[in-house]
PDB file of all heavy atoms in Angstrom:
ATOM      1  N   GLN A  89      17.874  20.934   0.647  1.00 97.00           N
ATOM      2  CA  GLN A  89      17.981  19.659  -0.055  1.00 97.00           C
ATOM      3  C   GLN A  89      17.755  18.496   0.912  1.00 97.00           C
ATOM      4  O   GLN A  89      17.027  17.552   0.608  1.00 97.00           O
ATOM      5  CB  GLN A  89      19.359  19.538  -0.701  1.00 97.00           C
ATOM      6  CG  GLN A  89      19.546  18.308  -1.527  1.00 97.00           C
ATOM      7  CD  GLN A  89      19.403  18.571  -2.984  1.00 97.00           C
ATOM      8  OE1 GLN A  89      19.523  19.705  -3.402  1.00 97.00           O
ATOM      9  NE2 GLN A  89      19.165  17.556  -3.753  1.00 97.00           N
ATOM     10  N   LYS A  90      18.380  18.555   2.087  1.00 97.00           N
ATOM     11  CA  LYS A  90      18.194  17.499   3.085  1.00 97.00           C
ATOM     12  C   LYS A  90      16.737  17.421   3.524  1.00 97.00           C
ATOM     13  O   LYS A  90      16.178  16.326   3.682  1.00 97.00           O
ATOM     14  CB  LYS A  90      19.091  17.748   4.300  1.00 97.00           C
ATOM     15  CG  LYS A  90      20.542  17.468   4.055  1.00 97.00           C
ATOM     16  CD  LYS A  90      21.368  17.746   5.298  1.00 97.00           C
ATOM     17  CE  LYS A  90      22.840  17.576   5.024  1.00 97.00           C
ATOM     18  NZ  LYS A  90      23.660  17.878   6.206  1.00 97.00           N
ATOM     19  N   HIS A  91      16.119  18.573   3.741  1.00 97.00           N
ATOM     20  CA  HIS A  91      14.722  18.598   4.159  1.00 97.00           C
ATOM     21  C   HIS A  91      13.828  17.994   3.074  1.00 97.00           C
ATOM     22  O   HIS A  91      12.920  17.213   3.370  1.00 97.00           O
ATOM     23  CB  HIS A  91      14.290  20.030   4.466  1.00 97.00           C
ATOM     24  CG  HIS A  91      12.853  20.162   4.826  1.00 97.00           C
ATOM     25  ND1 HIS A  91      12.343  19.686   6.013  1.00 97.00           N
ATOM     26  CD2 HIS A  91      11.795  20.684   4.153  1.00 97.00           C
ATOM     27  CE1 HIS A  91      11.050  19.917   6.063  1.00 97.00           C
ATOM     28  NE2 HIS A  91      10.692  20.521   4.933  1.00 97.00           N
ATOM     29  N   MET A  92      14.093  18.350   1.818  1.00 97.00           N
ATOM     30  CA  MET A  92      13.293  17.809   0.718  1.00 97.00           C
ATOM     31  C   MET A  92      13.487  16.298   0.594  1.00 97.00           C
ATOM     32  O   MET A  92      12.521  15.560   0.379  1.00 97.00           O
ATOM     33  CB  MET A  92      13.655  18.507  -0.593  1.00 97.00           C
ATOM     34  CG  MET A  92      13.157  19.928  -0.672  1.00 97.00           C
ATOM     35  SD  MET A  92      13.686  20.798  -2.158  1.00 97.00           S
ATOM     36  CE  MET A  92      13.026  19.773  -3.438  1.00 97.00           C
ATOM     37  N   ASP A  93      14.715  15.822   0.741  1.00 97.00           N
ATOM     38  CA  ASP A  93      14.974  14.385   0.668  1.00 97.00           C
ATOM     39  C   ASP A  93      14.251  13.643   1.786  1.00 97.00           C
ATOM     40  O   ASP A  93      13.658  12.579   1.561  1.00 97.00           O
ATOM     41  CB  ASP A  93      16.477  14.108   0.751  1.00 97.00           C
ATOM     42  CG  ASP A  93      17.226  14.556  -0.491  1.00 97.00           C
ATOM     43  OD1 ASP A  93      16.581  14.798  -1.529  1.00 97.00           O
ATOM     44  OD2 ASP A  93      18.473  14.673  -0.409  1.00 97.00           O
ATOM     45  N   LYS A  94      14.290  14.207   2.979  1.00 96.00           N
ATOM     46  CA  LYS A  94      13.620  13.582   4.119  1.00 96.00           C
ATOM     47  C   LYS A  94      12.107  13.540   3.899  1.00 96.00           C
ATOM     48  O   LYS A  94      11.461  12.525   4.157  1.00 96.00           O
ATOM     49  CB  LYS A  94      13.946  14.371   5.394  1.00 96.00           C
ATOM     50  CG  LYS A  94      13.415  13.772   6.655  1.00 96.00           C
ATOM     51  CD  LYS A  94      13.847  14.593   7.855  1.00 96.00           C
ATOM     52  CE  LYS A  94      13.249  14.065   9.131  1.00 96.00           C
ATOM     53  NZ  LYS A  94      13.597  14.891  10.281  1.00 96.00           N
ATOM     54  N   THR A  95      11.549  14.622   3.384  1.00 97.00           N
ATOM     55  CA  THR A  95      10.124  14.688   3.116  1.00 97.00           C
ATOM     56  C   THR A  95       9.730  13.692   2.032  1.00 97.00           C
ATOM     57  O   THR A  95       8.709  13.003   2.148  1.00 97.00           O
ATOM     58  CB  THR A  95       9.718  16.115   2.702  1.00 97.00           C
ATOM     59  OG1 THR A  95      10.095  17.012   3.758  1.00 97.00           O
ATOM     60  CG2 THR A  95       8.228  16.231   2.472  1.00 97.00           C
ATOM     61  N   LEU A  96      10.537  13.605   0.974  1.00 97.00           N
ATOM     62  CA  LEU A  96      10.240  12.653  -0.093  1.00 97.00           C
ATOM     63  C   LEU A  96      10.297  11.216   0.410  1.00 97.00           C
ATOM     64  O   LEU A  96       9.488  10.380  -0.013  1.00 97.00           O
ATOM     65  CB  LEU A  96      11.199  12.853  -1.259  1.00 97.00           C
ATOM     66  CG  LEU A  96      10.915  14.052  -2.152  1.00 97.00           C
ATOM     67  CD1 LEU A  96      12.003  14.213  -3.208  1.00 97.00           C
ATOM     68  CD2 LEU A  96       9.572  13.907  -2.834  1.00 97.00           C
ATOM     69  N   GLU A  97      11.234  10.911   1.282  1.00 96.00           N
ATOM     70  CA  GLU A  97      11.303   9.565   1.849  1.00 96.00           C
ATOM     71  C   GLU A  97      10.052   9.245   2.665  1.00 96.00           C
ATOM     72  O   GLU A  97       9.529   8.140   2.611  1.00 96.00           O
ATOM     73  CB  GLU A  97      12.557   9.404   2.709  1.00 96.00           C
ATOM     74  CG  GLU A  97      13.824   9.255   1.921  1.00 96.00           C
ATOM     75  CD  GLU A  97      13.798   8.050   0.993  1.00 96.00           C
ATOM     76  OE1 GLU A  97      13.361   6.958   1.414  1.00 96.00           O
ATOM     77  OE2 GLU A  97      14.206   8.205  -0.169  1.00 96.00           O
ATOM     78  N   LYS A  98       9.565  10.222   3.428  1.00 96.00           N
ATOM     79  CA  LYS A  98       8.331  10.025   4.187  1.00 96.00           C
ATOM     80  C   LYS A  98       7.162   9.749   3.253  1.00 96.00           C
ATOM     81  O   LYS A  98       6.365   8.841   3.480  1.00 96.00           O
ATOM     82  CB  LYS A  98       7.999  11.273   5.016  1.00 96.00           C
ATOM     83  CG  LYS A  98       8.623  11.348   6.349  1.00 96.00           C
ATOM     84  CD  LYS A  98       8.060  12.577   7.069  1.00 96.00           C
ATOM     85  CE  LYS A  98       8.645  12.773   8.421  1.00 96.00           C
ATOM     86  NZ  LYS A  98       8.115  13.974   9.069  1.00 96.00           N
ATOM     87  N   ILE A  99       7.064  10.551   2.202  1.00 97.00           N
ATOM     88  CA  ILE A  99       5.967  10.397   1.251  1.00 97.00           C
ATOM     89  C   ILE A  99       6.058   9.043   0.553  1.00 97.00           C
ATOM     90  O   ILE A  99       5.044   8.356   0.380  1.00 97.00           O
ATOM     91  CB  ILE A  99       5.960  11.556   0.235  1.00 97.00           C
ATOM     92  CG1 ILE A  99       5.575  12.858   0.942  1.00 97.00           C
ATOM     93  CG2 ILE A  99       5.010  11.278  -0.919  1.00 97.00           C
ATOM     94  CD1 ILE A  99       5.753  14.092   0.099  1.00 97.00           C
ATOM     95  N   ARG A 100       7.266   8.649   0.151  1.00 96.00           N
ATOM     96  CA  ARG A 100       7.431   7.339  -0.488  1.00 96.00           C
ATOM     97  C   ARG A 100       7.022   6.214   0.448  1.00 96.00           C
ATOM     98  O   ARG A 100       6.402   5.237   0.027  1.00 96.00           O
ATOM     99  CB  ARG A 100       8.878   7.160  -0.940  1.00 96.00           C
ATOM    100  CG  ARG A 100       9.219   7.957  -2.154  1.00 96.00           C
ATOM    101  CD  ARG A 100      10.637   7.650  -2.640  1.00 96.00           C
ATOM    102  NE  ARG A 100      10.975   8.526  -3.738  1.00 96.00           N
ATOM    103  CZ  ARG A 100      12.029   9.317  -3.779  1.00 96.00           C
ATOM    104  NH1 ARG A 100      12.879   9.338  -2.776  1.00 96.00           N
ATOM    105  NH2 ARG A 100      12.259  10.080  -4.823  1.00 96.00           N
ATOM    106  N   GLY A 101       7.379   6.329   1.714  1.00 96.00           N
ATOM    107  CA  GLY A 101       6.981   5.319   2.693  1.00 96.00           C
ATOM    108  C   GLY A 101       5.471   5.233   2.840  1.00 96.00           C
ATOM    109  O   GLY A 101       4.899   4.135   2.912  1.00 96.00           O
ATOM    110  N   GLU A 102       4.812   6.393   2.875  1.00 97.00           N
ATOM    111  CA  GLU A 102       3.355   6.396   2.981  1.00 97.00           C
ATOM    112  C   GLU A 102       2.709   5.786   1.735  1.00 97.00           C
ATOM    113  O   GLU A 102       1.750   5.027   1.833  1.00 97.00           O
ATOM    114  CB  GLU A 102       2.851   7.821   3.192  1.00 97.00           C
ATOM    115  CG  GLU A 102       3.188   8.383   4.558  1.00 97.00           C
ATOM    116  CD  GLU A 102       2.750   9.825   4.728  1.00 97.00           C
ATOM    117  OE1 GLU A 102       1.993  10.325   3.885  1.00 97.00           O
ATOM    118  OE2 GLU A 102       3.179  10.443   5.716  1.00 97.00           O
ATOM    119  N   ILE A 103       3.249   6.112   0.566  1.00 97.00           N
ATOM    120  CA  ILE A 103       2.713   5.554  -0.681  1.00 97.00           C
ATOM    121  C   ILE A 103       2.902   4.042  -0.704  1.00 97.00           C
ATOM    122  O   ILE A 103       1.984   3.300  -1.099  1.00 97.00           O
ATOM    123  CB  ILE A 103       3.382   6.222  -1.908  1.00 97.00           C
ATOM    124  CG1 ILE A 103       2.903   7.665  -2.033  1.00 97.00           C
ATOM    125  CG2 ILE A 103       3.076   5.448  -3.183  1.00 97.00           C
ATOM    126  CD1 ILE A 103       3.647   8.466  -3.071  1.00 97.00           C
ATOM    127  N   ASP A 104       4.058   3.561  -0.292  1.00 96.00           N
ATOM    128  CA  ASP A 104       4.298   2.116  -0.256  1.00 96.00           C
ATOM    129  C   ASP A 104       3.325   1.422   0.697  1.00 96.00           C
ATOM    130  O   ASP A 104       2.802   0.339   0.386  1.00 96.00           O
ATOM    131  CB  ASP A 104       5.734   1.814   0.154  1.00 96.00           C
ATOM    132  CG  ASP A 104       6.740   2.178  -0.928  1.00 96.00           C
ATOM    133  OD1 ASP A 104       6.329   2.317  -2.105  1.00 96.00           O
ATOM    134  OD2 ASP A 104       7.938   2.318  -0.596  1.00 96.00           O
ATOM    135  N   GLY A 105       3.069   2.035   1.850  1.00 96.00           N
ATOM    136  CA  GLY A 105       2.102   1.469   2.793  1.00 96.00           C
ATOM    137  C   GLY A 105       0.702   1.405   2.208  1.00 96.00           C
ATOM    138  O   GLY A 105      -0.005   0.410   2.366  1.00 96.00           O
ATOM    139  N   ILE A 106       0.304   2.455   1.521  1.00 97.00           N
ATOM    140  CA  ILE A 106      -1.023   2.476   0.895  1.00 97.00           C
ATOM    141  C   ILE A 106      -1.107   1.416  -0.197  1.00 97.00           C
ATOM    142  O   ILE A 106      -2.124   0.717  -0.318  1.00 97.00           O
ATOM    143  CB  ILE A 106      -1.325   3.882   0.332  1.00 97.00           C
ATOM    144  CG1 ILE A 106      -1.505   4.869   1.487  1.00 97.00           C
ATOM    145  CG2 ILE A 106      -2.564   3.860  -0.559  1.00 97.00           C
ATOM    146  CD1 ILE A 106      -1.553   6.322   1.061  1.00 97.00           C
ATOM    147  N   ARG A 107      -0.040   1.281  -0.985  1.00 97.00           N
ATOM    148  CA  ARG A 107      -0.033   0.242  -2.034  1.00 97.00           C
ATOM    149  C   ARG A 107      -0.159  -1.145  -1.439  1.00 97.00           C
ATOM    150  O   ARG A 107      -0.864  -1.997  -1.978  1.00 97.00           O
ATOM    151  CB  ARG A 107       1.252   0.331  -2.857  1.00 97.00           C
ATOM    152  CG  ARG A 107       1.256   1.450  -3.836  1.00 97.00           C
ATOM    153  CD  ARG A 107       2.511   1.431  -4.668  1.00 97.00           C
ATOM    154  NE  ARG A 107       2.521   2.553  -5.595  1.00 97.00           N
ATOM    155  CZ  ARG A 107       3.594   3.056  -6.137  1.00 97.00           C
ATOM    156  NH1 ARG A 107       4.778   2.533  -5.871  1.00 97.00           N
ATOM    157  NH2 ARG A 107       3.515   4.076  -6.978  1.00 97.00           N
ATOM    158  N   GLU A 108       0.546  -1.400  -0.338  1.00 96.00           N
ATOM    159  CA  GLU A 108       0.450  -2.706   0.319  1.00 96.00           C
ATOM    160  C   GLU A 108      -0.966  -2.963   0.811  1.00 96.00           C
ATOM    161  O   GLU A 108      -1.490  -4.075   0.675  1.00 96.00           O
ATOM    162  CB  GLU A 108       1.448  -2.787   1.468  1.00 96.00           C
ATOM    163  CG  GLU A 108       2.887  -2.846   1.019  1.00 96.00           C
ATOM    164  CD  GLU A 108       3.875  -2.737   2.169  1.00 96.00           C
ATOM    165  OE1 GLU A 108       3.444  -2.694   3.346  1.00 96.00           O
ATOM    166  OE2 GLU A 108       5.082  -2.687   1.878  1.00 96.00           O
ATOM    167  N   ASP A 109      -1.603  -1.939   1.387  1.00 96.00           N
ATOM    168  CA  ASP A 109      -2.988  -2.092   1.843  1.00 96.00           C
ATOM    169  C   ASP A 109      -3.928  -2.374   0.675  1.00 96.00           C
ATOM    170  O   ASP A 109      -4.810  -3.233   0.773  1.00 96.00           O
ATOM    171  CB  ASP A 109      -3.458  -0.833   2.578  1.00 96.00           C
ATOM    172  CG  ASP A 109      -2.772  -0.643   3.918  1.00 96.00           C
ATOM    173  OD1 ASP A 109      -2.178  -1.618   4.422  1.00 96.00           O
ATOM    174  OD2 ASP A 109      -2.835   0.487   4.459  1.00 96.00           O
ATOM    175  N   ILE A 110      -3.726  -1.657  -0.421  1.00 96.00           N
ATOM    176  CA  ILE A 110      -4.574  -1.867  -1.603  1.00 96.00           C
ATOM    177  C   ILE A 110      -4.372  -3.277  -2.148  1.00 96.00           C
ATOM    178  O   ILE A 110      -5.348  -3.967  -2.485  1.00 96.00           O
ATOM    179  CB  ILE A 110      -4.268  -0.812  -2.684  1.00 96.00           C
ATOM    180  CG1 ILE A 110      -4.765   0.557  -2.230  1.00 96.00           C
ATOM    181  CG2 ILE A 110      -4.889  -1.200  -4.018  1.00 96.00           C
ATOM    182  CD1 ILE A 110      -4.330   1.698  -3.123  1.00 96.00           C
ATOM    183  N   ASP A 111      -3.129  -3.728  -2.239  1.00 95.00           N
ATOM    184  CA  ASP A 111      -2.862  -5.077  -2.740  1.00 95.00           C
ATOM    185  C   ASP A 111      -3.486  -6.135  -1.838  1.00 95.00           C
ATOM    186  O   ASP A 111      -4.050  -7.128  -2.324  1.00 95.00           O
ATOM    187  CB  ASP A 111      -1.351  -5.311  -2.861  1.00 95.00           C
ATOM    188  CG  ASP A 111      -0.726  -4.498  -3.978  1.00 95.00           C
ATOM    189  OD1 ASP A 111      -1.477  -4.034  -4.873  1.00 95.00           O
ATOM    190  OD2 ASP A 111       0.520  -4.318  -3.953  1.00 95.00           O
ATOM    191  N   ALA A 112      -3.390  -5.927  -0.512  1.00 93.00           N
ATOM    192  CA  ALA A 112      -3.982  -6.891   0.417  1.00 93.00           C
ATOM    193  C   ALA A 112      -5.499  -6.938   0.254  1.00 93.00           C
ATOM    194  O   ALA A 112      -6.092  -8.022   0.217  1.00 93.00           O
ATOM    195  CB  ALA A 112      -3.601  -6.536   1.854  1.00 93.00           C
ATOM    196  N   GLN A 113      -6.121  -5.778   0.138  1.00 93.00           N
ATOM    197  CA  GLN A 113      -7.578  -5.747  -0.049  1.00 93.00           C
ATOM    198  C   GLN A 113      -7.961  -6.355  -1.391  1.00 93.00           C
ATOM    199  O   GLN A 113      -8.958  -7.076  -1.485  1.00 93.00           O
ATOM    200  CB  GLN A 113      -8.103  -4.309   0.044  1.00 93.00           C
ATOM    201  CG  GLN A 113      -8.037  -3.709   1.424  1.00 93.00           C
ATOM    202  CD  GLN A 113      -8.888  -4.455   2.427  1.00 93.00           C
ATOM    203  OE1 GLN A 113      -9.983  -4.927   2.105  1.00 93.00           O
ATOM    204  NE2 GLN A 113      -8.396  -4.585   3.643  1.00 93.00           N
ATOM    205  N   GLN A 114      -7.181  -6.100  -2.428  1.00 93.00           N
ATOM    206  CA  GLN A 114      -7.477  -6.673  -3.747  1.00 93.00           C
ATOM    207  C   GLN A 114      -7.355  -8.196  -3.703  1.00 93.00           C
ATOM    208  O   GLN A 114      -8.173  -8.897  -4.313  1.00 93.00           O
ATOM    209  CB  GLN A 114      -6.529  -6.097  -4.801  1.00 93.00           C
ATOM    210  CG  GLN A 114      -6.887  -6.483  -6.220  1.00 93.00           C
ATOM    211  CD  GLN A 114      -8.236  -5.921  -6.643  1.00 93.00           C
ATOM    212  OE1 GLN A 114      -8.541  -4.771  -6.381  1.00 93.00           O
ATOM    213  NE2 GLN A 114      -9.033  -6.748  -7.287  1.00 93.00           N
ATOM    214  N   ASP A 115      -6.368  -8.712  -2.986  1.00 90.00           N
ATOM    215  CA  ASP A 115      -6.227 -10.160  -2.841  1.00 90.00           C
ATOM    216  C   ASP A 115      -7.441 -10.756  -2.131  1.00 90.00           C
ATOM    217  O   ASP A 115      -7.941 -11.823  -2.519  1.00 90.00           O
ATOM    218  CB  ASP A 115      -4.954 -10.505  -2.075  1.00 90.00           C
ATOM    219  CG  ASP A 115      -3.694 -10.217  -2.871  1.00 90.00           C
ATOM    220  OD1 ASP A 115      -3.794 -10.062  -4.116  1.00 90.00           O
ATOM    221  OD2 ASP A 115      -2.602 -10.137  -2.246  1.00 90.00           O
ATOM    222  N   LYS A 116      -7.925 -10.076  -1.111  1.00 88.00           N
ATOM    223  CA  LYS A 116      -9.111 -10.554  -0.399  1.00 88.00           C
ATOM    224  C   LYS A 116     -10.333 -10.542  -1.307  1.00 88.00           C
ATOM    225  O   LYS A 116     -11.134 -11.484  -1.302  1.00 88.00           O
ATOM    226  CB  LYS A 116      -9.359  -9.696   0.840  1.00 88.00           C
ATOM    227  CG  LYS A 116      -8.325  -9.892   1.929  1.00 88.00           C
ATOM    228  CD  LYS A 116      -8.580  -8.958   3.098  1.00 88.00           C
ATOM    229  CE  LYS A 116      -7.494  -9.082   4.131  1.00 88.00           C
ATOM    230  NZ  LYS A 116      -7.697  -8.166   5.258  1.00 88.00           N
ATOM    231  N   ILE A 117     -10.487  -9.486  -2.084  1.00 88.00           N
ATOM    232  CA  ILE A 117     -11.621  -9.381  -3.005  1.00 88.00           C
ATOM    233  C   ILE A 117     -11.529 -10.470  -4.068  1.00 88.00           C
ATOM    234  O   ILE A 117     -12.539 -11.123  -4.389  1.00 88.00           O
ATOM    235  CB  ILE A 117     -11.669  -7.979  -3.647  1.00 88.00           C
ATOM    236  CG1 ILE A 117     -12.048  -6.945  -2.595  1.00 88.00           C
ATOM    237  CG2 ILE A 117     -12.643  -7.940  -4.817  1.00 88.00           C
ATOM    238  CD1 ILE A 117     -11.889  -5.509  -3.039  1.00 88.00           C
ATOM    239  N   ASN A 118     -10.350 -10.692  -4.605  1.00 87.00           N
ATOM    240  CA  ASN A 118     -10.172 -11.747  -5.611  1.00 87.00           C
ATOM    241  C   ASN A 118     -10.476 -13.118  -5.037  1.00 87.00           C
ATOM    242  O   ASN A 118     -11.051 -13.973  -5.721  1.00 87.00           O
ATOM    243  CB  ASN A 118      -8.756 -11.707  -6.182  1.00 87.00           C
ATOM    244  CG  ASN A 118      -8.515 -10.484  -7.044  1.00 87.00           C
ATOM    245  OD1 ASN A 118      -9.458  -9.855  -7.521  1.00 87.00           O
ATOM    246  ND2 ASN A 118      -7.245 -10.141  -7.230  1.00 87.00           N
ATOM    247  N   ALA A 119     -10.071 -13.337  -3.785  1.00 85.00           N
ATOM    248  CA  ALA A 119     -10.358 -14.619  -3.137  1.00 85.00           C
ATOM    249  C   ALA A 119     -11.865 -14.801  -2.970  1.00 85.00           C
ATOM    250  O   ALA A 119     -12.388 -15.897  -3.169  1.00 85.00           O
ATOM    251  CB  ALA A 119      -9.656 -14.697  -1.794  1.00 85.00           C
ATOM    252  N   LEU A 120     -12.586 -13.753  -2.626  1.00 84.00           N
ATOM    253  CA  LEU A 120     -14.040 -13.834  -2.493  1.00 84.00           C
ATOM    254  C   LEU A 120     -14.712 -14.100  -3.835  1.00 84.00           C
ATOM    255  O   LEU A 120     -15.649 -14.885  -3.930  1.00 84.00           O
ATOM    256  CB  LEU A 120     -14.598 -12.554  -1.882  1.00 84.00           C
ATOM    257  CG  LEU A 120     -14.406 -12.380  -0.386  1.00 84.00           C
ATOM    258  CD1 LEU A 120     -14.898 -11.001   0.053  1.00 84.00           C
ATOM    259  CD2 LEU A 120     -15.142 -13.458   0.382  1.00 84.00           C
ATOM    260  N   LYS A 121     -14.227 -13.417  -4.877  1.00 83.00           N
ATOM    261  CA  LYS A 121     -14.809 -13.598  -6.205  1.00 83.00           C
ATOM    262  C   LYS A 121     -14.600 -15.016  -6.719  1.00 83.00           C
ATOM    263  O   LYS A 121     -15.464 -15.578  -7.375  1.00 83.00           O
ATOM    264  CB  LYS A 121     -14.196 -12.604  -7.199  1.00 83.00           C
ATOM    265  CG  LYS A 121     -14.708 -11.205  -7.041  1.00 83.00           C
ATOM    266  CD  LYS A 121     -14.107 -10.290  -8.091  1.00 83.00           C
ATOM    267  CE  LYS A 121     -14.604  -8.873  -7.939  1.00 83.00           C
ATOM    268  NZ  LYS A 121     -13.986  -7.971  -8.923  1.00 83.00           N
ATOM    269  N   SER A 122     -13.451 -15.582  -6.427  1.00 82.00           N
ATOM    270  CA  SER A 122     -13.174 -16.927  -6.909  1.00 82.00           C
ATOM    271  C   SER A 122     -13.843 -17.981  -6.035  1.00 82.00           C
ATOM    272  O   SER A 122     -13.906 -19.143  -6.410  1.00 82.00           O
ATOM    273  CB  SER A 122     -11.666 -17.169  -6.979  1.00 82.00           C
ATOM    274  OG  SER A 122     -11.115 -17.142  -5.686  1.00 82.00           O
ATOM    275  N   GLY A 123     -14.320 -17.584  -4.862  1.00 74.00           N
ATOM    276  CA  GLY A 123     -15.041 -18.494  -3.982  1.00 74.00           C
ATOM    277  C   GLY A 123     -14.140 -19.453  -3.243  1.00 74.00           C
ATOM    278  O   GLY A 123     -14.597 -20.491  -2.779  1.00 74.00           O
ATOM    279  N   LYS A 124     -12.880 -19.145  -3.123  1.00 63.00           N
ATOM    280  CA  LYS A 124     -11.945 -20.055  -2.452  1.00 63.00           C
ATOM    281  C   LYS A 124     -12.225 -20.153  -0.957  1.00 63.00           C
ATOM    282  O   LYS A 124     -12.555 -21.209  -0.435  1.00 63.00           O
ATOM    283  CB  LYS A 124     -10.506 -19.612  -2.669  1.00 63.00           C
ATOM    284  CG  LYS A 124     -10.026 -19.792  -4.080  1.00 63.00           C
ATOM    285  CD  LYS A 124      -8.586 -19.370  -4.189  1.00 63.00           C
ATOM    286  CE  LYS A 124      -8.118 -19.535  -5.632  1.00 63.00           C
ATOM    287  NZ  LYS A 124      -6.767 -19.051  -5.811  1.00 63.00           N
ATOM    288  N   ASP A 125     -12.065 -19.078  -0.267  1.00 56.00           N
ATOM    289  CA  ASP A 125     -12.243 -19.073   1.189  1.00 56.00           C
ATOM    290  C   ASP A 125     -13.057 -17.849   1.569  1.00 56.00           C
ATOM    291  O   ASP A 125     -13.098 -16.863   0.857  1.00 56.00           O
ATOM    292  CB  ASP A 125     -10.880 -18.986   1.916  1.00 56.00           C
ATOM    293  CG  ASP A 125     -10.040 -20.230   1.692  1.00 56.00           C
ATOM    294  OD1 ASP A 125     -10.644 -21.317   1.572  1.00 56.00           O
ATOM    295  OD2 ASP A 125      -8.813 -20.112   1.658  1.00 56.00           O
ATOM    296  N   ILE A 126     -13.648 -17.942   2.740  1.00 56.00           N
ATOM    297  CA  ILE A 126     -14.321 -16.758   3.272  1.00 56.00           C
ATOM    298  C   ILE A 126     -13.242 -15.911   3.952  1.00 56.00           C
ATOM    299  O   ILE A 126     -12.522 -16.358   4.812  1.00 56.00           O
ATOM    300  CB  ILE A 126     -15.429 -17.156   4.274  1.00 56.00           C
ATOM    301  CG1 ILE A 126     -16.489 -17.963   3.563  1.00 56.00           C
ATOM    302  CG2 ILE A 126     -15.998 -15.926   4.945  1.00 56.00           C
ATOM    303  CD1 ILE A 126     -17.572 -18.493   4.444  1.00 56.00           C
ATOM    304  N   VAL A 127     -13.188 -14.661   3.543  1.00 51.00           N
ATOM    305  CA  VAL A 127     -12.134 -13.772   4.022  1.00 51.00           C
ATOM    306  C   VAL A 127     -12.777 -12.633   4.788  1.00 51.00           C
ATOM    307  O   VAL A 127     -13.810 -12.090   4.384  1.00 51.00           O
ATOM    308  CB  VAL A 127     -11.314 -13.204   2.822  1.00 51.00           C
ATOM    309  CG1 VAL A 127     -10.250 -12.268   3.313  1.00 51.00           C
ATOM    310  CG2 VAL A 127     -10.733 -14.333   2.023  1.00 51.00           C
ATOM    311  N   ASP A 128     -12.163 -12.247   5.900  1.00 55.00           N
ATOM    312  CA  ASP A 128     -12.646 -11.129   6.694  1.00 55.00           C
ATOM    313  C   ASP A 128     -12.160  -9.839   6.074  1.00 55.00           C
ATOM    314  O   ASP A 128     -10.961  -9.569   6.039  1.00 55.00           O
ATOM    315  CB  ASP A 128     -12.149 -11.265   8.125  1.00 55.00           C
ATOM    316  CG  ASP A 128     -12.677 -10.165   9.041  1.00 55.00           C
ATOM    317  OD1 ASP A 128     -13.705  -9.541   8.660  1.00 55.00           O
ATOM    318  OD2 ASP A 128     -12.080  -9.926  10.095  1.00 55.00           O
TER     319      ASP A 128
END
């Protein structure tokens, strides 16, 4: 049970990191589409 909980926490952390990266990239894409600023 402890091993499974630890593994699930790792997986949740990785998923949260991926979601943050996706949101950041989506914000950059939206900014480019709207023509606000040039984004790297």
Side-chain angles (χ1 to χ4, degrees):
Q89 184 101 20
K90 286 180 185 178
H91 177 70
M92 288 176 59
D93 290 344
K94 185 177 176 183
T95 302
L96 284 175
E97 285 301 316
K98 273 186 181 178
I99 291 171
R100 286 185 185 125
E102 290 177 12
I103 289 171
D104 289 341
I106 291 169
R107 283 183 182 158
E108 290 172 4
D109 291 344
I110 290 171
D111 290 342
Q113 290 298 323
Q114 188 64 44
D115 290 343
K116 290 177 184 179
I117 291 170
N118 291 340
L120 284 175
K121 285 182 180 178
S122 65
K124 290 182 181 176
D125 294 327
I126 297 176
V127 179
D128 183 20

